[in-house]
Amino acid sequence: MNKPLQIALDGPAGAGKSTIAKTLAKKLGYVYIDTGAIYRAVTYRALQDGVGLEDGPMLAAMIDKMDLRLVPSENGQRVFDGTEEVTDVIRTNDVTNNVSFVARQPEVRAALMDLQRDLASKGGIVMDGRDIGTHVLPGADLKVFMTATVEERARRRHEENVAKGLPSDLGQLQLEIALRDKRDSEREVAPLRQADDAHFLDTTELSIDGVVEAIEQLMKQVIER
Ligand code: CDP
Ligand code: CDP
């Protein structure tokens, strides 16, 4: 049997990271780890408790008291803070539009590093985020930087909302995604950036199966090396 790999998928919002990571993990019998959910859970708790979203030291103290757990599930991953399940509440617009303020605090990123590395240490994993290839797992066996045009990424999110029967405004989504990308890319600590040794994959014109196939090809190259 091949050695289980550590696969890092990074890229901007709506590039398809979680969809692809989930599909790949299922196919390979790997564990899928969505690191964005960790930043979302912290943002949710800060909003609930009235902690300043740009107050790094207070946020770090809050994280210290949290008991964040990611539990693999049939549909990907469930997220708990202590006994409270926050899997769904961390996906609200309020969290989505505030998470990049929290995520750019150096104290927050430092406080969450060990948890992410610990989760990745358990064998075959597909981890998605913004800084997995550059900071969290610099030694990952395979790094992929996925992207797509902002128009396409907003369209994907819009379709998702429509399918779920949620209200959705394509223009507004495009604006929000572009703003979040800007904050994620321009922050000082661990910005959204392609690692030097990451493979670049533009998914604008690709189907989900097409992206999975492309990554499987890259995995083959890693295994044969
Ligand atoms: O799924 P979506 O692309 O909307 O976002 P996400 O992966 O859930 O990540 C939410 C936010 O968390 C991002 O916009 C970043 O601000 C932050 N994040 C990060 O800073 N570093 C990571 N490794 C993952 C997420
Ligand atoms: O995790 P990230 O924010 O990068 O993207 P996602 O949550 O996986 O959302 C991508 C959306 O685009 C999902 O609704 C997918 O079904 C769809 N999609 C995709 O992921 N990849 C393609 N090549 C085409 C569509």
Side-chain angles (χ1 to χ4, degrees):
M1 206 176 88
N2 293 318
K3 159 178 114 73
L5 306 180
Q6 274 188 340
I7 304 175
L9 298 187
D10 288 301
K17 302 179 300 296
S18 44
T19 306
I20 302 304
K22 253 184 247 176
T23 311
L24 262 180
K26 207 168 206 173
K27 260 185 123 164
L28 300 165
Y30 280 18
V31 175
Y32 159 59
I33 307 165
D34 168 10
T35 63
I38 301 175
Y39 289 92
R40 285 173 178 272
V42 170
T43 304
Y44 170 72
R45 180 59 54 216
L47 288 167
Q48 289 289 303
D49 294 358
V51 175
L53 300 181
E54 304 228 56
D55 187 339
M58 281 294 282
L59 288 164
M62 183 195 81
I63 292 169
D64 230 26
K65 291 198 218 104
M66 291 174 76
D67 175 22
L68 271 172
R69 284 177 301 121
L70 305 189
V71 180
S73 76
E74 186 55 23
N75 296 325
Q77 171 191 279
R78 295 171 72 188
V79 187
F80 293 85
D81 179 9
T83 52
E84 183 185 353
E85 175 157 17
V86 295
T87 310
D88 294 329
V89 288
I90 62 172
R91 304 281 155 200
T92 57
N93 281 342
D94 203 19
V95 172
T96 301
N97 291 328
N98 281 301
V99 61
S100 55
F101 295 108
V102 170
R104 70 183 179 188
Q105 307 310 315
E107 295 87 348
V108 168
R109 305 202 75 79
L112 297 174
M113 188 57 95
D114 284 351
L115 168 66
Q116 295 173 82
R117 289 194 176 143
D118 191 44
L119 287 164
S121 68
K122 300 195 172 98
I125 54 116
V126 188
M127 186 176 250
D128 88 6
R130 301 291 186 287
D131 63 337
I132 309 308
T134 51
H135 287 84
V136 180
L137 303 177
D141 300 292
L142 175 63
K143 300 179 186 178
V144 180
F145 189 86
M146 294 172 52
T147 191
T149 60
V150 68
E151 291 81 6
E152 171 64 11
R153 292 186 283 118
R155 194 194 62 74
R156 290 176 184 175
R157 279 278 187 272
H158 180 63
E159 275 194 0
E160 236 175 51
N161 289 340
V162 171
K164 286 185 197 155
L166 297 171
S168 189
D169 176 328
L170 183 60
Q172 177 72 17
L173 270 174
Q174 195 171 314
L175 213 72
E176 287 171 1
I177 286 180
L179 262 177
R180 187 145 62 98
D181 287 352
K182 186 170 154 60
R183 287 195 290 265
D184 288 344
S185 310
E186 291 182 354
R187 69 182 174 219
E188 279 177 19
V189 186
L192 168 64
R193 178 174 77 66
Q194 181 179 348
D196 293 338
D197 53 352
H199 298 268
F200 179 80
L201 192 57
D202 184 345
T203 74
T204 308
E205 306 280 341
L206 292 176
S207 65
I208 293 171
D209 286 346
V211 179
V212 171
E213 260 169 48
I215 297 181
E216 282 178 327
Q217 282 303 320
L218 294 171
M219 282 184 67
K220 261 195 205 137
Q221 293 171 19
V222 171
I223 291 164
E224 282 162 11
R225 227 189 277 145

